[in-house]
Amino acid sequence: MSAVSFRLLVNVPGSSTPLRCVKGASVLVGVRDRLDDNYSKHFADLTALCRALGAGDSAEDIAQEALLHGQEHRHELRDEAKLQSWLRRIAARRTFEHLRRQRRYESQEPARAFIPVDPSISIDVSAAITRLPERERVAVVLVYGVGYEQEEAAAVMNVTRGTVATLLYRARKHLAELLVGYAPDGDVL
């Protein structure tokens, strides 16, 4: 039974087929229940992700859009265990789209990165991170800023874990070059 006919069968008013008897219905109900039951948790996670990727004040709106998209397209999720990473990919994609639209309509101002900074450190690491190429910046923000594992960051960025590791390596090299003036006696990180 195709997804289209499944949706038609489930949504037909007065349908005599109980939802639990339709193949695949338990997955849909399970995803809907997990979205509804953990809404606050998912919303907070997606908002933090969007903010970390540079969405700023629009982070909550984008997170809400991602959750609504997830709710409307939950039938496309094949593995219920991957709900969180699926929602993160949706939120990341929406954030990148938002940032692209924003760049088209605004002057070229530097990207903003949200990285928790230790106030005892006298260097502005966040400023250096914003000067990284976009993919490197996103990898750094996801792994070091938000605390995702490389596999989780790879899922959000829709790349392999090896690509994330390479991007992090390159980002560390670039940051070392950018921050070399802050190292005592010229020592590089």
Side-chain angles (χ1 to χ4, degrees):
M1 177 180 295
S2 73
V4 173
S5 61
F6 173 75
R7 276 183 290 194
L8 291 174
L9 176 66
V10 171
N11 294 326
V12 170
S15 173
S16 60
T17 308
L19 188 59
R20 67 181 178 280
C21 296
V22 178
K23 182 180 177 184
S26 63
V27 172
L28 286 177
V29 172
V31 170
R32 184 186 65 220
D33 291 346
R34 284 184 57 205
L35 274 171
D36 292 343
D37 293 344
N38 297 317
Y39 175 83
S40 296
K41 178 181 159 253
H42 290 304
F43 182 73
D45 178 53
L46 297 179
T47 301
L49 171 63
C50 295
R51 201 167 271 130
L53 293 175
D57 296 336
S58 300
E60 290 180 351
D61 294 336
I62 295 170
Q64 180 69 33
E65 287 176 20
L67 285 168
L68 286 172
H69 181 86
Q71 184 75 294
E72 292 169 359
H73 296 271
R74 64 185 177 270
H75 62 275
E76 296 173 10
L77 181 63
R78 294 184 184 146
D79 184 0
E80 185 180 349
K82 296 182 180 179
L83 174 65
Q84 187 171 13
S85 62
W86 182 63
L87 289 171
R88 286 175 175 171
R89 273 195 309 276
I90 294 169
R93 195 170 45 249
R94 296 279 172 128
T95 301
F96 297 142
E97 290 168 2
H98 169 77
L99 293 173
R100 274 192 293 274
R101 276 192 311 270
Q102 201 173 30
R103 272 186 239 135
R104 266 187 249 145
Y105 298 112
E106 294 181 0
S107 65
Q108 291 292 339
E109 57 184 69
R112 292 174 289 176
F114 171 76
I115 299 289
V117 177
D118 184 353
S120 65
I121 299 174
S122 64
I123 59 176
D124 191 358
V125 177
S126 291
I129 290 171
T130 60
R131 294 177 58 197
L132 291 172
E134 183 177 3
R135 288 179 43 158
E136 291 176 19
R137 180 176 44 81
V138 169
V140 166
V141 167
L142 290 175
V143 174
Y144 299 122
V146 181
Y148 286 1
E149 296 293 326
Q150 287 185 10
E151 292 82 11
E152 293 173 306
V156 168
M157 296 175 70
N158 203 23
V159 296
T160 65
R161 192 210 58 81
T163 301
V164 171
T166 301
L167 291 169
L168 292 172
Y169 171 77
R170 290 178 185 161
R172 286 191 300 269
K173 280 181 59 176
H174 285 127
L175 287 172
E177 292 168 5
L178 291 169
L179 299 173
V180 71
Y182 291 100
D185 300 325
D187 290 340
V188 179
L189 306 171

